[in-house]
Amino acid sequence: MDNKALLHKHGLRITDTRLAVLSLLQNSSKALSQSDVERSLPQQADRVTLFRVLQAFEDAGLAHKVMDAHGVARYASCAPTCSTEQHQDSHAHFHCTQCGDVYCLEDVELPKVKVPKGFKQQESHLEVEGRCAACA
Ligand SMILES: [Zn+2]
Ligand SMILES: [Zn+2]
Ligand SMILES: [Zn+2]
């Protein structure tokens, strides 16, 4: 499926900025902050637009958000099974303590956690800290 079809499938209008941001996220090995995206885009886009694009991707199941050590949101492209209803990115994330980059560890699945009766689980996170290959 090409990215136009992908945006359409997730209920989003096709715009040049959305297409550019989507392919940026797909081709990046690490999760990208809004300023990373801003720096890497072929054409300039204003901040508000970019913020909305990333927000829309998260709502639509195209990108998931990971907070870095400074509380800055970073975005990574989603598993194909993610949808507007639910994210399915149940993998761990690696936080580099040196450069601060965040990587999806897609092969590391989150353990199933049993919550007490009457509790309803929405999300769980597993974070691994260390040094990435570039910093090690
Ligand atoms: Zn997702
Ligand atoms: Zn690093
Ligand atoms: Zn991830």
Side-chain angles (χ1 to χ4, degrees), residues 35-130:
S35 44
D36 292 334
V37 171
E38 210 174 311
R39 268 197 304 271
S40 321
L41 277 185
Q43 326 99 322
Q44 267 205 328
D46 71 89
R47 268 158 204 224
V48 180
T49 307
L50 272 187
F51 178 78
R52 293 208 183 118
V53 167
L54 292 167
Q55 203 92 6
F57 281 5
E58 201 198 355
D59 291 343
L62 282 171
H64 59 285
K65 186 159 77 178
V66 196
M67 290 296 175
D68 70 15
H70 304 288
V72 176
R74 303 212 182 197
Y75 295 85
S77 62
C78 271
T81 45
C82 289
S83 69
T84 18
E85 281 83 49
Q86 210 184 0
H87 279 277
Q88 309 268 9
D89 314 281
S90 47
H91 54 254
H93 290 100
F94 188 94
H95 293 252
C96 179
T97 52
Q98 192 86 11
C99 65
D101 281 344
V102 179
Y103 293 83
C104 290
L105 301 178
E106 264 131 19
D107 297 336
V108 184
E109 273 196 54
L110 296 185
K112 293 258 181 293
V113 178
K114 203 168 169 266
V115 294
K117 206 168 172 256
F119 286 55
K120 201 170 177 297
Q121 183 179 345
Q122 284 181 319
E123 277 182 67
S124 58
H125 301 275
L126 179 64
E127 329 252 277
V128 181
E129 279 189 10

